[in-house]
Amino acid sequence: MTIDSFRPEKKITTFYPPQRTLLGPGPSDTHARVLSAMARPTLGHLDPVFTEMMEELKGLLRYVFQTTNLLTFPVSGPGSVGMEMCFVNMIVPGDKVVVCRNGVFGGRMIENVERCGGIPLVVEDKWGDPVDPQKVEDILKKNPDAKIVAFVHAETSTGVQSDAKTIGQIARKYDCLTIMDTVTSLGGTPVYMDGWDIDAIYSGSQKCLSCPPGLSPVSFSERVVDLVRNRTEKVHSWFMDISLLLGYWGSSRTYHHTAPTNSLYGLHESLIILYEEGLEHSWTRHRRNHEALKAGLKTLGIGYVVDEAYRLPQLNSVHVPTGVDEKEVRRRLLADYNLEIGAGLGDFAGKIWRIGLMGNSSKLENVIFCLDALEHVLADLGTKVDKGAASSAAHQYYANNPAV
Ligand SMILES: Cc1ncc(COP(=O)(O)O)c(C=O)c1O
């Protein structure tokens, strides 16, 4: 048997992906320095040189999460693994968990609670709205035995940001632990884990951290460490059991699993890039590029789904203009311009686009490129546009608001 018999219509040979510009809901464009770091020689996952780098990684992650938590490290797996790690370690069957759902990922949290044998107490908000902290307080008043409050800081399915500080304070007032999803927020918009009383946090490497997908930074407070230490029932996942993983990421450095060493070099490099830029500068850059995009989209008659006060700068959820074949627009952008933008999910499918300006993708040249390409495609498909107006409006915004 030869490999060609598996796919007779095409000879299998080296895979060369096209060079796209990734302006969807993630992944974003990987930084060239990250790609080059990942191409360095593979080390054993217990090599002393590698374990020294792991220590630096933990420190860099504390910086981006703004926490002093000792238990801060990247999990080998995508954001979904970070999410599951929080739930499987913190819930025992019968636990009541308040879960806030205002989009797809809050729904996944409910699924996690149920699979852990917990009882989800769902705080429901409309897609496109932030989590209403008052509803969280109301449900906690009615359920004094609730143990955890879980919510998504930046809901990628809608482009909305919730008030993490207030939710954290309410949870603490009712003596609950908090689980916060920062897959889309980390690096792009302020996250203050300690300042907001967050106990468990997870993120993903592929959005505002400018890395490829596949790693999930997590951090846990001492309160979570105590909870896990005092569990009488084994965590239902061997791989995600924090107390076992600590043997590897803690001081003893014993084998747990073969860590993805080259991916971790990439994350290390991306966090150094973020550190060099400075978190605040990164947040400002994301905001500035969002504002420029917004100015350009306005000239095309394209408006936002989310109220200005709750809008994520790194994820622009916008209405597809009436009468436009949104799928064809995305197809043309990809085929003719090598440009990816995202579609709507769930109730928003076919109605919105999600334009990501995340991490290394959040830059002036991408904003201008996206506006020009979108304008041309829309015009080609019969929409009346004022040619050149979109990118001019963005340029104008940049000129009036110089980078700091
Ligand atoms: C808010 C949010 N949470 C969780 C996830 C899951 O992350 P992953 O796809 O890396 O497993 C995503 C992915 O887009 C996300 O946007």
Side-chain angles (χ1 to χ4, degrees):
M1 190 185 283
T2 67
I3 56 167
D4 291 335
S5 61
F6 295 117
R7 220 181 149 193
E9 76 285 4
K10 187 169 179 273
K11 189 169 164 46
I12 299 178
T13 173
T14 307
F15 176 61
Y16 292 105
Q19 184 70 57
R20 309 272 202 218
T21 299
L22 299 179
L23 301 187
S28 61
D29 288 338
T30 301
H31 199 289
R33 273 174 62 184
V34 172
L35 285 177
S36 123
M38 291 174 71
R40 292 180 193 140
T42 301
L43 287 173
H45 56 291
L46 295 170
D47 186 307
V49 175
F50 181 70
T51 54
E52 204 178 306
M53 190 214 67
M54 287 163 70
E55 281 310 302
E56 292 181 3
L57 248 180
K58 292 195 281 187
L60 288 161
L61 284 176
R62 284 185 197 114
Y63 167 68
V64 290
F65 280 132
Q66 293 285 290
T67 183
T68 56
N69 290 338
L70 286 178
L71 193 49
T72 304
F73 60 97
V75 179
S76 309
S80 307
V81 177
M83 181 190 279
E84 289 212 28
M85 173 169 265
C86 295
F87 289 96
V88 292
N89 281 279
M90 292 168 67
I91 296 177
V92 293
D95 280 349
K96 283 190 180 174
V97 180
V98 173
V99 186
C100 309
R101 173 166 59 187
N102 58 341
V104 166
F105 295 99
R108 292 228 187 137
M109 286 180 153
I110 297 172
E111 179 78 25
N112 267 277
V113 173
E114 287 170 348
R115 283 171 187 250
C116 294
I119 303 162
L121 308 171
V122 181
V123 167
E124 202 82 58
D125 278 293
K126 245 180 47 211
W127 279 44
D129 283 352
V131 173
D132 180 351
Q134 188 56 51
K135 291 188 189 167
V136 176
E137 176 134 31
D138 293 345
I139 210 162
L140 287 175
K141 258 189 209 147
K142 279 193 215 134
N143 294 275
D145 52 344
K147 236 180 87 177
I148 295 168
V149 173
F151 66 100
V152 179
H153 183 213
E155 188 38 89
T156 326
S157 56
T158 64
V160 84
Q161 176 163 211
S162 289
D163 180 355
K165 184 177 179 189
T166 305
I167 299 169
Q169 281 167 349
I170 293 169
R172 193 53 64 93
K173 180 170 150 196
Y174 290 86
D175 203 23
C176 280
L177 295 170
T178 39
I179 298 177
M180 176 162 96
D181 177 317
T182 61
V183 172
T184 285
S185 50
L186 195 68
T189 198
V191 169
Y192 293 104
M193 183 174 190
D194 290 358
W196 294 347
D197 290 328
I198 305 300
D199 291 291
I201 204 165
Y202 60 90
S203 190
S205 47
Q206 75 273 27
K207 304 210 185 200
C208 299
L209 300 184
S210 317
C211 275
L215 289 172
S216 177
V218 295
S219 182
F220 300 98
S221 71
E222 273 307 307
R223 282 161 38 108
V224 177
V225 175
D226 286 344
L227 178 86
V228 175
R229 208 176 271 138
N230 292 325
R231 276 181 76 116
T232 47
E233 158 162 355
K234 269 189 178 175
V235 171
H236 289 199
S237 160
W238 177 86
F239 181 73
M240 282 181 265
D241 185 334
I242 294 174
S243 46
L244 298 179
L245 254 174
L246 261 184
Y248 181 53
W249 279 97
S251 51
S252 63
R253 300 276 180 226
T254 47
Y255 169 67
H256 175 269
H257 68 282
T258 310
T261 46
N262 291 57
S263 296
L264 291 165
Y265 307 163
L267 181 63
H268 181 266
E269 187 66 14
S270 80
L271 296 175
I272 288 182
I273 294 167
L274 192 49
Y275 185 67
E276 285 169 357
E277 179 180 18
L279 267 180
E280 286 84 358
H281 275 105
S282 174
W283 301 334
T284 309
R285 170 170 56 85
H286 282 85
R287 164 91 22 219
R288 184 167 177 259
N289 290 322
H290 156 76
E291 293 294 346
L293 182 78
K294 185 177 79 178
L297 291 174
K298 194 169 169 203
T299 70
L300 297 169
I302 297 176
Y304 279 73
V305 173
V306 175
D307 224 57
E308 186 132 27
Y310 314 112
R311 237 174 246 168
L312 281 169
Q314 62 272 53
L315 186 59
N316 298 264
S317 288
V318 296
H319 295 290
V320 175
T322 324
V324 168
D325 178 349
E326 78 81 22
K327 215 168 164 185
E328 180 58 11
V329 171
R330 282 188 294 110
R331 193 195 67 73
R332 292 245 193 141
L333 289 175
L334 195 65
D336 300 345
Y337 295 87
N338 266 313
L339 171 61
E340 179 181 282
I341 66 167
L345 297 175
D347 290 352
F348 285 159
K351 298 180 189 151
I352 70 164
W353 287 313
R354 292 178 300 151
I355 305 175
L357 289 172
M358 301 177 174
N360 189 44
S361 289
S362 177
K363 50 189 172 197
L364 179 150
E365 54 265 49
N366 283 350
V367 170
I368 302 299
F369 173 47
C370 177
L371 290 168
D372 278 339
L374 193 56
E375 187 184 274
H376 278 270
V377 170
L378 286 173
D380 226 34
L381 293 175
T383 305
K384 242 175 101 51
V385 298
D386 186 4
K387 285 254 174 87
S391 55
S392 288
H395 280 301
Q396 193 61 52
Y397 177 84
Y398 283 123
N400 293 341
N401 297 273
V404 281

